[in-house]
Amino acid sequence: MAFKDELKKYVDLAVGKSVVAFGKGKAAVSKFGDDSATRIEKMQLEKKLNKEIFTFGKNVLKAFEEDKQSSVSSSDELLAASLRTIAELKAEIARKEELLQRDEKADSGETAAEKVAESVSEQVGDTAEAPAEESSAKKTKKSEKNAKKDV
């Protein structure tokens, strides 16, 4: 019966640790996916921003060369629309960057759930290590008895 109980403790320990590891892995994969999506969205916004800046530059050049204007103003209809779009894109990029930085700060500190999971894991590990130590002590005693019998 002792062997059965000891085996059950080890199986329970293995299952408990697997559950904890799986939970951590699941959270890590989920977070990685969220961060990746945010980074991709930020890159797309940056591409849109570059395209809009290029369009703005084309419109300014057109105003100087084709329309023969000596100066341009932000009140010009085409330029004003481009400037608004550029400002909106910059604000959205800043929001995405802030979100990424906030996630990085959260990663540097452990969450409460991770601390509880580690605590439970350590407690389960401590109870399972005691039988292992007893088992190795029993094996040592048996080997000593067998050595005495052989002599």
Side-chain angles (χ1 to χ4, degrees):
M1 281 303 242
F3 176 73
K4 183 179 175 184
D5 293 337
E6 191 172 323
L7 182 62
K8 184 180 183 318
K9 286 180 185 179
Y10 284 118
V11 169
D12 289 345
L13 173 67
V15 169
K17 294 226 181 215
S18 296
V19 168
V20 170
F22 180 72
K24 287 182 180 181
K26 183 179 174 184
V29 168
S30 175
K31 190 204 170 318
F32 177 75
D34 293 345
D35 284 353
S36 295
T38 303
R39 281 187 171 83
I40 290 170
E41 290 170 356
K42 182 181 168 226
M43 286 176 50
Q44 290 173 341
L45 289 169
E46 288 171 344
K47 286 181 182 181
K48 283 182 183 180
L49 176 64
N50 288 336
K51 197 180 277 189
E52 191 61 38
I53 290 171
F54 178 75
T55 302
F56 178 77
K58 268 181 25 180
N59 289 337
V60 170
L61 183 64
K62 179 183 172 197
F64 282 125
E65 288 184 348
E66 293 177 14
D67 298 341
K68 304 291 184 203
Q69 292 180 2
S70 60
S71 66
V72 291
S73 171
S74 60
S75 62
D76 185 5
E77 193 175 304
L78 286 174
L79 299 179
S82 288
L83 288 172
R84 275 192 306 276
T85 304
I86 289 171
E88 290 170 2
L89 289 170
K90 283 183 177 182
E92 188 64 28
I93 290 171
R95 275 185 243 130
K96 297 290 181 187
E97 185 65 35
E98 181 182 322
L99 181 63
L100 288 171
Q101 287 176 354
R102 189 174 22 183
D103 287 345
E104 287 175 7
K105 286 180 183 176
D107 286 344
S108 64
E110 288 183 318
T111 63
E114 289 174 336
K115 288 180 182 178
V116 168
E118 281 184 24
S119 172
V120 169
S121 173
E122 288 172 2
Q123 289 173 358
V124 170
D126 290 344
T127 59
E129 288 173 8
E133 290 171 3
E134 290 173 14
S135 175
S136 64
K138 286 179 184 178
K139 287 179 184 177
T140 306
K141 287 180 182 178
K142 281 184 181 181
S143 63
E144 289 173 2
K145 284 182 183 179
N146 290 336
K148 288 180 183 178
K149 286 181 184 178
D150 290 339
V151 173

